[in-house]
Each structure stands twice: as structure tokens, then as C-alpha cells.
Amino acid sequence: MKKDTLIIIPVYNEEDNIGSVIDEINEKEPTVDIIVINDGSIDNTEKIVLSKGINILSLPFNFGYGNALQLGFKYALQNNYNNVIQFDGDGQHNPADISKIKKTLDFNKYDIVIGSRFINKSDFKISLSKKMALYFLKSLIYLFSNYKINDPTSGLQGLSKKTYSYYSKPWNYPNDYPDADVLIKMLKLGFTTIEIPVNMRSRSKGQSMHSGLKPFIYMLKITLSILVVVLNCFFNRRRGC
């Protein structure tokens, strides 16, 4: 029987983590459906997901985190889910937080619910460079939208049908790292947004997609993307962003 909320888990080479992530979600939140989007993994990720009896859509190549999520949004729209929750497959997100996000979507009718690591005191540790990057992104969001977001890079988000339907359309969602640029656009378009405290965990196995030089490339791309969003909104004020 189809449920009203879909958990979308984009994965790339997460054979060490995805099995336990699925088991935890099934144990702590059996009232949701799960779809795993396999973004061209070359390890045993797909085999492990199938062994758990979970629906999986596999891309032939590594198309990027944003593309994987967008495929999940299209699947949710095709199957008429009320809400979706983005959930990483690396074990950092806590399935115990799903119910809090789900309740906020169901009863408070927000369009975007962000699971924030930084509202309440947390044991989650980040490096100095990541703290500086977060401060920079938070400042840009406030500058361009007059809205305070504490954790703009959180991948744990709940989305209303209105929101994920918008994301599912071509050109409305980036193909690599959807972050502060997307939030600025959605805030300027009037999508209601709230942060709630969650308890995230450090990755224990596998390699982060932000390893090596990727964080520097990411910051450059996200800054340029924010500028594009702001300029587009400025020149299309009458029609929105």
C-alpha cells in the first residue's frame, strides 16, 4: 500500500552504508516509502538495495547529486506523494528525525523544512574552512532574501508537493549541488521555509563527495550560481525568478 510520504535517497558508491541506512529507516519510520536513486555507482550499492526489497532507479553514469534528486522528484510526482524527504545514504542523517520533519510538513503546511545542525547545541563537528564557507553562504542568503538560514547546506529536507513539483521541472533545479542558490530562489518566489533542529552524525565509512579540491570548486560554482539567481530575479521581477 502506497504511503503519503516518500524518502528519496540519492547514492553514489555507498555499499558500506546504504544497507544500515535502509534498515534504520524501516525500523524507526515504517510509515514512509523509500526510493533509492543510484547515481551510476560502480560498487555493490545496487545489489545491496535490491536485497533489502527497496525500489531503486539506477542511472547509467554519475550524473550528479542534483540530477539524482530530480529523478526522485519526478518519481514522486508520477506516484502522487503528498510530501518527500531528502535523505543521504552515507549514514549521517538520523532516521529518528524523519517523524519531526514529516509532522512539520503535514500539520504546519510549510513548503520547505530544513533539518538544521546548528539551531540547538550539537556534537556534530565541522572544520574551520567549512565554518567559514557556511558563514559566507548564510550571509549571502540574508543579503539577498532578508531571511536567516542557519544550515544552508543541509541535505536533510522535507518538501511539500508544491515544492518538489517545481523542482521536478527542467531548468528549475541544478544538476550538481543544490544549496544556497536554490534556497535564495525559493525564498524570493515566496515558498514558505522553516528550520528545525536535527541530530546529524559524522560519516564513519566511505568517502565524502566533498573530498579533495571539490569544496573549493563547489564554493566557486555556488557563488556564481547565486549571482545568476539574483540577477535573473532582478531582471524578471514582474514574473518572479
Side-chain angles (χ1 to χ4, degrees):
M1 179 178 177
K2 185 179 80 66
K3 303 174 174 93
D4 67 344
T5 299
L6 177 69
I7 306 295
I8 301 174
I9 309 178
V11 291
Y12 176 66
N13 292 343
E14 290 290 356
E15 63 179 4
D16 294 328
N17 300 302
I18 189 60
S20 58
V21 168
I22 290 170
D23 288 343
E24 271 197 278
I25 294 174
N26 282 331
E27 177 187 351
K28 295 182 179 178
E29 197 57 48
T31 62
V32 298
D33 283 340
I34 301 172
I35 182 72
V36 174
I37 310 298
N38 176 30
D39 190 21
S41 297
I42 55 175
D43 62 359
N44 290 315
T45 295
E46 182 178 35
K47 185 182 297 184
I48 292 170
V49 174
L50 290 172
S51 73
K52 299 291 182 180
I54 297 297
N55 289 333
I56 184 170
L57 297 175
S58 291
L59 294 163
F61 306 104
N62 182 219
F63 283 92
Y65 180 73
N67 271 327
L69 279 173
Q70 192 177 57
L71 179 58
F73 300 147
K74 291 177 180 178
Y75 174 89
L77 189 60
Q78 186 178 38
N79 289 276
N80 198 32
Y81 283 93
N82 291 337
N83 306 307
V84 305
I85 297 176
Q86 301 171 196
F87 200 93
D88 287 351
D90 59 8
Q92 293 195 74
H93 295 165
N94 190 337
D97 292 318
I98 291 174
S99 62
K100 293 190 294 184
I101 294 174
K102 189 173 181 297
K103 286 177 183 177
T104 306
L105 286 168
D106 288 340
F107 299 113
N108 296 310
K109 305 302 180 183
Y110 282 97
D111 295 315
I112 302 171
V113 179
I114 302 171
S116 176
R117 296 164 285 185
F118 308 122
I119 293 181
N120 294 342
K121 289 185 177 180
S122 170
D123 295 331
F124 192 84
K125 305 297 182 184
I126 60 173
S127 65
L128 178 61
S129 61
K130 287 185 177 180
K131 286 182 180 179
M132 293 173 63
L134 281 169
Y135 180 80
F136 177 68
L137 294 176
K138 287 161 58 178
S139 300
L140 288 180
I141 291 173
Y142 188 77
L143 174 66
F144 293 123
S145 69
N146 198 33
Y147 200 95
K148 183 179 179 182
I149 298 289
N150 293 284
D151 196 355
T153 64
S154 173
L156 180 55
Q157 296 187 19
L159 309 173
S160 68
K161 187 175 184 180
K162 173 185 173 184
T163 304
Y164 81 72
S165 298
Y166 179 83
Y167 286 164
S168 71
K169 295 179 175 62
W171 313 114
N172 282 354
Y173 205 69
N175 58 13
D176 44 17
Y177 302 126
D179 272 320
D181 52 345
V182 174
L183 286 175
I184 290 173
K185 181 177 182 179
M186 300 305 280
L187 289 166
K188 293 180 82 65
L189 284 172
F191 284 74
T192 55
T193 305
I194 190 174
E195 285 184 282
I196 64 171
V198 297
N199 297 303
M200 292 197 192
R201 306 172 289 201
S202 298
R203 171 188 277 269
S204 59
K205 299 176 183 177
Q207 186 180 50
S208 170
M209 66 179 178
H210 293 299
S211 59
L213 293 175
K214 291 179 182 178
F216 300 101
I217 298 171
Y218 161 77
M219 284 304 298
L220 177 61
K221 291 179 68 175
I222 200 70
T223 303
L224 291 173
S225 182
I226 288 172
L227 291 174
V228 170
V229 167
V230 172
L231 289 172
N232 187 59
C233 289
F234 177 79
F235 288 114
N236 294 281
R237 291 190 299 274
R238 294 179 182 175
R239 294 179 296 170
C241 297

